[in-house]
Amino acid sequence: MEKVCIIGAGSSGVTVAKSLKEAGVPFDIFEKGSAIGGMWRYENDNGQSSCYASLHIDTSRPNLGYSDFPIDPSLPDFLSHAQFLAHLERYADHFGITPLVTFRTAVSSVEPEGGRYRVTLDSGEVRDYARVVIANGHLSDARMPEFPGVFDGEAIHSHYYRTADPYIGKRVLVVGIGNSAVDIAVDLCRRAAHVTLSTRRSAWVMPKYLMGVPIDQWSGFLGRKLRLPTPAVRRIMAQLIKLGVGDQRRFGLPRPDHPMWREHATLSQDLLPNIGHGYIDVKPNLSELKGDRVAFVDGTEAGYDAIIYATGYGVSFPFLSEAVFDPSQSGELYRRMVVPAHPGLIHAGLLQPVGPTIPLVEVQGKWIAALSSGRMEMPDHAGMVAEIAAHRDYQRRVYLDAPRYMLEVDYKTYVGQMQSDMTAGRAG
């Protein structure tokens, strides 16, 4: 069997390496930093982690771990970044992956060449591979918005936020309403003088617990135990959350125009109570930056010492030319992994599931191993294009037709597809 290159030794790269090893497929795995962990390593010296000190995972412990290496049940429902990193290190050591990683080595370029791939390392060394697995993550290219005017205070992207210490006693504006925005606003609000959360179109806010049970375990019960289809589960969950939380408009948080089941909701147990206590207030989108003040589209203004833009990330792969793979086409991948024009280029973890990411990427790793070992074949180019079109049609019908949902997948459906591929020995 021919050797595979893996770029990145975070939670995605490590599980792909483990599956390849078990399938007897030789590989090299390169990590820019000095240790495994990717985004879960706080202050990772690879410079790409967006991890902040208070970060906890939104997936509860029973749904988070790898299938053959469960998380210690004595750990809390929602692990901190440090607790998950320790688990990932144990996983990598247990399956003998850590000694196989080439650390402090970045990939400078990947170039298709005669059906193979020419990989150049930052040392200048060039290697040849049959396949390249891209597992370096997609949460490092900070996307900053543009607003008219100038702000005199400190303004950063949430990618660079670490602790509330620099903001003690200050008035802080957090722009965005995704999970990072809400986490950071809550982290700040007891130490800053005041925190404002600005949202362009709002979002549905779901609690992490419902009746004392982690929210993802409720949806897991409905889907797995009662065997309900995902659309039905999402609609039932929307009604349960309305009963458990009430009308979020009471807290000054607008209700989105779309129904709850059509979006990837924001999870927070603490946002609404902190709004209710007056630590956080909610404003609409910014209209202008005015020195030490900010104007909003509703005509109001307020003064701030700092702005934190939690406005998401661009998808970028600096080692790939756009002629080889255009990041804007990241939603155009066969089985959410394979570049149709270059089927030896395979992404791992380039998705955003309704459900847990880490065990889903474990299944991707097994799929990649089945392909690389010859136990499974892929369809031709036309078949891949048809599968992509069908998936995009499903996305538009189920989720909002917005760039944020370009990488969205349904965990249950997607895992079923990959497992069917491996069972049949031919991807559909």
Side-chain angles (χ1 to χ4, degrees), residues 8-269:
S11 57
S12 296
V14 165
T15 196
V16 172
K18 183 252 189 186
S19 290
L20 290 176
K21 183 184 178 190
E22 290 183 340
V25 178
F27 63 87
D28 292 325
I29 176 169
F30 299 108
E31 166 55 45
K32 185 178 179 182
S34 60
I36 70 164
M39 70 163 290
W40 301 111
R41 183 169 293 279
Y42 184 66
E43 299 287 36
N44 194 328
D45 61 7
N46 69 8
Q48 293 183 237
S49 176
S50 56
C51 183
Y52 40 92
S54 63
L55 177 65
H56 281 68
I57 296 176
D58 290 331
T59 301
S60 69
R61 174 179 34 78
N63 293 327
L64 181 64
Y66 300 105
S67 62
D68 53 1
F69 199 78
I71 295 173
D72 183 348
S74 68
L75 290 172
D77 287 336
F78 295 98
L79 274 63
S80 69
H81 59 82
Q83 289 169 326
F84 180 74
L85 175 63
H87 175 74
L88 179 62
E89 289 175 325
R90 289 192 292 270
Y91 174 84
D93 290 344
H94 179 79
F95 292 106
I97 301 304
T98 307
L100 303 179
V101 180
T102 303
F103 293 108
R104 301 183 181 87
T105 303
V107 171
S108 300
S109 69
V110 177
E111 301 167 285
E113 194 172 78
R116 299 180 64 82
Y117 298 88
R118 177 185 171 92
V119 174
T120 303
L121 307 179
D122 59 356
S123 64
E125 182 183 356
V126 178
R127 300 192 186 187
D128 174 75
Y129 295 96
R131 289 184 177 85
V132 176
V133 177
I134 301 165
N136 63 315
H138 60 279
L139 297 175
S140 61
D141 185 8
R143 187 169 58 216
M144 291 286 281
E146 293 184 5
F147 295 105
V150 176
F151 180 66
D152 292 339
E154 178 188 4
I156 65 167
H157 191 276
S158 58
H159 179 71
Y160 303 102
Y161 177 85
R162 294 295 178 264
T163 73
D165 292 351
Y167 304 96
I168 294 173
K170 295 183 178 181
R171 292 182 60 84
V172 186
L173 172 64
V174 179
V175 180
I177 198 168
N179 287 323
S180 294
V182 167
D183 278 357
I184 290 169
V186 168
D187 193 39
L188 286 168
C189 73
R190 295 298 183 95
R191 305 188 72 189
H194 187 70
V195 175
T196 296
L197 192 67
S198 167
T199 171
R200 182 177 55 184
R201 64 181 183 193
S202 195
W204 293 103
V205 176
M206 294 172 53
K208 283 191 167 183
Y209 288 94
L210 188 63
M211 291 181 275
V213 177
I215 198 78
D216 61 341
Q217 293 182 31
W218 278 105
S219 57
F221 169 78
L222 292 170
R224 288 192 297 269
K225 299 293 186 183
L226 300 186
R227 299 184 179 181
L228 296 176
T230 298
V233 171
R234 289 172 66 81
R235 286 175 170 85
I236 292 170
M237 289 302 300
Q239 295 306 314
L240 288 175
I241 291 160
K242 286 179 183 177
L243 288 172
V245 175
D247 190 341
Q248 65 185 40
R249 290 176 296 185
R250 185 179 177 279
F251 297 88
L253 192 62
R255 292 177 63 177
D257 294 333
H258 53 272
M260 188 183 299
W261 57 267
R262 290 206 70 195
E263 77 162 1
H264 197 112
T266 296
L267 266 71
S268 178
Q269 196 72 23

Side-chain angles (χ1 to χ4, degrees), residues 302-316:
Y304 296 99
D305 302 298
I307 300 176
I308 299 173
Y309 292 103
T311 46
Y313 294 86
V315 178
S316 63

Side-chain angles (χ1 to χ4, degrees), residues 324-339:
V324 174
F325 179 69
D326 183 349
S328 69
Q329 302 299 306
S330 295
E332 307 292 326
L333 298 172
Y334 171 70
R335 283 290 192 253
R336 326 293 69 79
M337 290 181 272
V338 180
V339 180

Side-chain angles (χ1 to χ4, degrees), residues 372-388:
S372 301
S373 65
R375 292 187 287 110
M376 185 184 73
E377 297 178 351
M378 281 195 299
D380 59 16
H381 185 270
M384 287 192 275
V385 170
E387 188 272 348
I388 293 167

Side-chain angles (χ1 to χ4, degrees), residues 265-281:
T266 296
L267 266 71
S268 178
Q269 196 72 23
D270 303 311
L271 176 65
L272 298 182
N274 278 296
I275 294 174
H277 283 83
Y279 294 116
I280 300 171
D281 73 320

